[in-house]
Amino acid sequence: GLRLELFENSTAYIAEVEDDPTTLASKHNAATPEHLRICKGFYIVSANGKTTNAEISSLLKSSTVGQVDLVIRRPTTKSASFKKNGLPLGLMLKYDKNGDTLLVMDVDASGAVSVADANVRLGDRITAVNSTRGSVAAMLDELK
């Protein structure tokens, strides 16, 4: 019931909660108050005490596990503005080509983002660029 983005050295990101009433995530959400529901954009910190992405993925795919206890973290949102001023962007990004976020894997100290002190850090997820959202390709084009 969950589609995750699992990149090395990052927290499991919930990219989609499938709208299928037979999945555990949908059953949980249907029986839970809105403020406790599992939502797209949240992070799975652990599942049944397991904390690595490989362990979390394996546990969620297992058909023999009767119950899964998740520790979930909600995202925090911030805005960052900067001018490139002829400098390279200075971000190393990872993404799922079918996803809708860009994961910041490194910030080069000599790039436009760092020089402008734009408050973009390792591990941040970019969800929109110049009001463009929903498509990795479109956001990458905006960053050029």
Side-chain angles (χ1 to χ4, degrees):
L2 302 176
R3 185 175 64 80
L4 304 177
E5 287 184 4
L6 302 167
F7 296 125
E8 187 177 335
N9 300 323
S10 70
T11 305
Y13 174 79
I14 300 174
E16 180 182 5
V17 180
E18 295 174 9
D19 190 20
D20 176 350
T22 65
T23 66
L24 291 177
S26 289
K27 288 178 184 178
H28 166 82
N29 282 351
T32 304
E34 188 172 346
H35 71 283
L36 296 175
R37 292 182 183 156
I38 300 168
C39 298
K40 174 184 174 175
F42 288 11
Y43 297 88
I44 299 176
V45 176
S46 70
N48 289 4
K50 307 295 184 190
T51 58
T52 70
N53 283 346
E55 292 171 322
I56 291 170
S57 177
S58 176
L59 184 66
L60 293 176
K61 289 178 183 176
S62 173
S63 60
T64 61
V65 176
Q67 178 172 326
V68 178
D69 294 315
L70 299 177
V71 175
I72 293 180
R73 185 185 73 200
R74 294 173 182 262
T76 56
T77 304
K78 62 183 177 182
S79 294
S81 296
F82 60 91
K83 293 186 185 224
K84 289 173 62 176
N85 294 325
L87 294 172
L89 189 61
L91 295 178
M92 182 182 358
L93 303 170
K94 257 194 172 175
Y95 50 88
D96 175 340
K97 66 179 180 173
N98 297 316
D100 58 4
T101 67
L102 306 169
L103 176 63
V104 178
M105 298 301 291
D106 192 29
V107 181
D108 183 335
S110 62
V113 171
S114 187
V115 168
D117 195 23
N119 195 29
V120 176
R121 306 288 179 252
L122 172 74
D124 285 353
R125 283 201 180 257
I126 299 171
T127 58
V129 179
N130 297 334
S131 74
T132 296
R133 63 177 61 243
S135 162
V136 163
M139 287 191 293
L140 289 171
D141 282 345
E142 282 291 317
L143 288 171
K144 290 180 181 175

